[in-house]
Each structure stands twice: as structure tokens, then as C-alpha cells.
Amino acid sequence: MATSLQPVADGVHLASLAPLSMFNSVVLDGPDGDIVIDSGPAWSGKRLARLLRGRDVGRHVVTHAHGDHVGSSAWLCSHTGAPLAMSQIEADDFERGSIAYHAGLSGRLIVPRMTRQRRHVDQRLTEGDQVGSFTVLPQPGHSPGLLAFWRESDRVLIVGDGPTNISNDPTSPRWMKLPASWHHDPAGAVESRRHLAELEPELIVSTHGRPVRGVDRWLDGIRNHAH
Ligand SMILES: [Zn+2]
């Protein structure tokens, strides 16, 4: 597992929080401090602190309120003083603690437990908002308010979901099989991914797994893997 931030695109770094990059944060350089996207499960705090040492975190943004993406968010915001931003669709539920957005029982039982602490949401994001040099796009399906972040200038797409590539070579992905029942709306999740693929991203960076280069390779993963 990488012991430092991995640069993946201009001003974009992957902070790997688990083996095979199963959980990641994505760090964006910004003029008003770094933006940290997602915080991994509840046990990521120590590792995140090490990876972010010496950096000034100005804002924490999450793709969606599933426990493996917001698990250390309350800790990160209190540790850095950064405000928390997430989808306006999920913010109230996160504050109340009800984030079991999964079609199947296994997801509803396992994933919410990866978040123990809650926190006030400072900013509710909607389509077209800016996150650094990226634009917020809705990607409903995997969760009701899932957000993607798109930068047209170099066609970089940041997502908070699968398909999950476990190969270190972005031009030769290997996909991990995960159950479709871990989506809130399995058909909607696939449809949203296909919709994003129409943007023709060059590089897809996810907070699950390693980056993928080339929209055709990403589409291959979407076609062959339900999650
Ligand atoms: Zn999720």
C-alpha cells in the first residue's frame, strides 16, 4: 500500500486507505487549501492523517454518504477545521444517521457501520457546483445522491463507486466482483455510469480501486460488472 499521495492527474492525488486501493480519498490541490474527497471507513483516520501531513485541508467533500466513504469525515473535519460538503439529497439523512442506502440486506447491515460519528453538513451540493477545478454531476443509482466530479479541460472524471479496478496499470484494468445488491438502485447505477461515459472521460479516478485510462476500458467494466 502506497505510503504517500500518488499523483494521478494535474493537481489530483490518490490517497490509498486500504490494500488494492479498495478505499481511497482523492486530494485536489487548491488555491484555498486542499480539497479531500471521501474519507474511507471509520478506521482510516490515522492513515489519512499521515498521508495529509504538512498539507492544508480547506474543504472536505464526499461523493455519497455510504459508511465506507464518510466513515472518517467527522474526524477529518474536526482534525483540520475543514467544512463538510455533500449532496443535498443525502445531507439530512447523514446528520440523522440513516444512511442504509442499499437494495440488499448485506449492504444495509454492513456498510452503515463503517461510519460511527456524525457531523453537521456545512454545504449541500447540487449539479453544476464547483469543487476546485471540477464540476459536480449527479450520478444517482448506487446511492440516491451520489455525485461525480468532471473536469472537461483534461477529461478527468472522479467517481465514488465502481466498477472497481484492482490493477495498478490503468490501461489494463482487472475488475473486482461486488454484489449488485450493494447498490440502492442497481439498474439506475448502471444507467448513470453509461451516462457519464458519454462525456468520454480520458481518466476515471474512483474512491474504490485504481484509476482507469480510456472510456472504452471503463465501459467494458460497466458492461461486465454489476457493481
Ligand atoms: Zn457506496
Side-chain angles (χ1 to χ4, degrees):
M1 193 168 24
T3 53
S4 56
L5 295 182
Q6 303 294 299
V8 292
D10 185 25
V12 181
H13 314 265
L14 200 69
S16 177
L17 304 174
L20 300 174
S21 296
M22 280 309 299
F23 305 115
N24 304 307
S25 292
V26 174
V27 180
L28 308 179
D29 296 334
D32 307 314
D34 294 332
I35 299 169
V36 177
I37 300 177
D38 287 357
S39 65
W43 54 86
S44 311
K46 252 193 200 153
R47 180 163 173 79
L48 208 44
R50 246 193 336 265
L51 290 167
L52 295 172
R53 193 170 292 151
R55 302 186 74 102
D56 173 28
V57 179
R59 196 176 178 200
H60 178 39
V61 177
V62 298
T63 57
H64 64 302
H66 279 166
D68 50 335
H69 297 258
V70 290
S72 298
S73 291
W75 170 84
L76 180 65
C77 290
S78 66
H79 180 75
T80 61
L84 174 64
M86 72 169 66
S87 159
Q88 70 158 6
I89 294 170
E90 297 179 3
D92 290 351
D93 287 347
F94 173 74
E95 287 179 342
R96 282 199 297 264
S98 54
I99 54 170
Y101 300 135
H102 298 85
L105 187 62
S106 67
R108 287 203 296 276
L109 287 176
I110 297 166
V111 179
R113 292 182 189 181
M114 295 185 186
T115 303
R116 295 185 200 109
Q117 274 181 294
R118 296 295 189 273
R119 185 194 184 281
H120 169 70
V121 177
D122 302 285
Q123 191 193 5
R124 286 155 163 75
L125 296 172
T126 56
E127 181 166 13
D129 285 343
Q130 285 299 119
V131 169
S133 50
F134 287 77
T135 305
V136 172
L137 295 178
Q139 191 195 344
H142 173 66
S143 75
L146 179 65
L147 301 177
F149 308 101
W150 169 237
R151 185 166 71 186
E152 189 164 18
S153 58
D154 56 358
R155 316 201 82 73
V156 175
L157 178 69
I158 299 171
V159 294
D161 182 28
T164 300
N165 167 36
I166 53 170
S167 160
N168 277 327
D169 180 355
T171 65
S172 180
R174 268 188 302 134
W175 306 108
M176 179 170 242
K177 266 196 180 318
L178 293 165
S181 63
W182 286 10
H183 291 309
H184 160 71
D185 166 11
V190 174
E191 194 183 310
S192 276
R193 289 175 184 175
R194 286 184 188 277
H195 199 61
L196 289 176
E198 287 168 11
L199 296 168
E200 303 197 342
E202 263 298 309
L203 184 75
I204 299 93
V205 180
S206 178
T207 53
H208 282 311
R210 307 283 309 167
V212 176
R213 190 165 288 287
V215 68
D216 289 344
R217 295 186 185 100
W218 196 53
L219 270 170
D220 178 61
I222 292 170
R223 267 185 221 112
N224 293 309
H225 294 279
H227 191 293

